[in-house]
Amino acid sequence: MMKTIIRQLGICGLGFVLCLLAACQNEEALLQASDEGYLRIELQNVVSTTEVGTKAVPDNYDPKRFQITVTNAKGITVKTFDNVSVSASTILETITLPIGDYTITASSAGFDGSESGFDIPYYSGSATAKVAKNTSTPVTVKCTLANVKVTVNFDGSMNQFQSATATIASGLSGVASREFEMGKINKSAYFPVGSLTLTLAVLTDNNKIHTQNYAIKPTNRDVQARDHFIINFKVPTYGSMDGITITADDETKNYTINFPVYRYPRTTLKVEAANAWSNFAYVQGTAVSANNTPFDAAQMKFRYKQKDASTWMEVSATASGTTEGTYSYNATLSNLSPNTEYEYQLAYNNAEY
């Protein structure tokens, strides 16, 4: 008899619990139905030109068209907007949502930015919002470039080469490299975020191919989304011995890289200590040729000037011997001022070596 009573009490207790749960669920449903607010979404985007021509990207890809998703605090998608056309700023329809926290994300539809290609900018952005009861909450999602842009320019001085090709390669596996050719209209290329390298190949008048390699990155940090590298190739002017220079605008993330291209392979030039007299000096130097390419002796000179002077003088160098690709030269510097300190250097092809 006691066991039966216990069973009956257990059943009654279970029924009470189920009723209580049902009542709570109904109350929660009523609460959710009444405690609602409104979300007003504005999408902002910085849009560039869009002429897609890369096989890995869908033919109908248009970075100006976006997919927008709204997720709640549990990560559940509660609203999506597909194929939304955005020029600069677009306000979407106001949506009704239960009160709570939400995340709004937007990205260019049809492509995830994981491949390289010409003229395929990929944009994305996100924002959070708290929906309050019976309140219209505005939220702005600003979409910015989510991949890396590379622009290559060939100066007219490069026309002295038969051809020049710059190849930009990504350090990410499976991402195709992109080529920019001198004499053609080259659109900007876009790459997923990752390390980038540049290889420049030039064909000279004597049918020699010379290459230069360079790691593309801002100073003191890795490549990031929105970085725009503007690479300018130019043959240096007379007397210039400039190396690669970078002009950085960290606010816009534009990095201009001026890349000097020399008509001859880079060489190692070295001078010896001078044998100086009252008004003249004997100077010597050596040149080690890159790729073992012989030098034009007529283009090898010694340049010299007083230490504080800004203008160099020069005198032809005389070849004095060759040993395993190392070429030796000497010259006499005349009409020097006594008790005066001079600087001198060995230069090839007007210092454009």
Side-chain angles (χ1 to χ4, degrees), residues 2 4 29 38 93 117 131 139 151 213 244 263:
M2 180 61 69
T4 302
Y38 309 95
E93 64 183 80
V131 174
V139 60
T151 302
N213 298 303
I244 297 171
R263 291 193 299 241

Side-chain angles (χ1 to χ4, degrees), residues 34-261:
S34 60
D35 288 0
E36 292 180 333
Y38 309 95
L39 189 63
R40 180 176 176 270
I41 302 172
E42 179 184 3
L43 192 67
Q44 293 182 351
N45 183 46
V46 181
V47 179
S48 71
T49 56
T50 58
E51 186 174 341
V52 180
T54 305
K55 291 182 178 179
V57 181
D59 291 337
N60 61 349
Y61 171 65
D62 181 355
K64 293 183 292 186
R65 306 195 74 83
F66 282 75
Q67 182 180 52
I68 300 98
T69 61
V70 181
T71 57
N72 61 21
K74 296 180 179 180
I76 299 172
T77 299
V78 297
K79 181 69 175 179
T80 61
F81 298 88
D82 294 321
N83 209 27
V84 177
S85 180
V86 179
S87 55
S89 179
T90 298
I91 298 177
L92 306 182
E93 64 183 80
T94 299
I95 58 176
T96 303
L97 294 170
I99 61 174
D101 297 322
Y102 293 88
T103 300
I104 304 92
T105 60
S107 61
S108 300
F111 175 54
D112 61 1
S114 61
E115 180 55 281
S116 66
F118 293 100
D119 236 356
I120 53 166
Y122 169 68
Y123 299 96
S124 69
S126 66
T128 59
K130 181 182 290 291
V131 174
K133 182 177 180 179
N134 297 326
T135 302
S136 179
T137 303
V139 60
T140 300
V141 182
K142 186 176 182 180
C143 295
T144 57
L145 188 68
N147 47 12
V148 180
K149 183 178 182 180
V150 179
T151 302
V152 173
N153 302 308
F154 293 94
D155 184 77
S157 61
M158 293 286 292
N159 291 332
Q160 60 191 275
F161 297 110
Q162 292 190 47
S163 66
T165 302
T167 303
I168 310 297
S170 171
L172 300 177
S173 177
V175 176
S177 59
R178 300 296 165 185
E179 290 187 350
F180 301 79
E181 295 184 38
M182 182 179 70
K184 294 186 177 181
I185 298 176
N186 293 295
K187 298 176 181 179
S188 295
Y190 293 82
F191 293 82
V193 177
S195 61
L196 295 173
T197 56
L198 158 69
T199 299
L200 175 69
V202 296
L203 179 63
T204 63
D205 291 336
N206 59 357
N207 292 319
K208 297 287 187 179
I209 297 178
H210 302 307
T211 61
Q212 291 176 266
N213 298 303
Y214 178 70
I216 304 172
K217 60 177 294 185
T219 305
N220 299 326
R221 71 164 174 82
D222 294 330
V223 176
Q224 297 176 356
R226 291 180 55 215
D227 283 345
H228 180 195
F229 299 102
I230 306 165
I231 303 170
N232 300 317
F233 294 108
K234 182 179 181 180
V235 175
T237 55
Y238 175 83
S240 171
M241 299 183 69
D242 294 337
I244 297 171
T245 61
I246 301 178
T247 302
D249 186 336
D250 292 324
E251 183 175 354
T252 63
K253 302 188 75 170
N254 287 347
Y255 301 92
T256 301
I257 303 173
N258 294 316
F259 200 105
V261 183

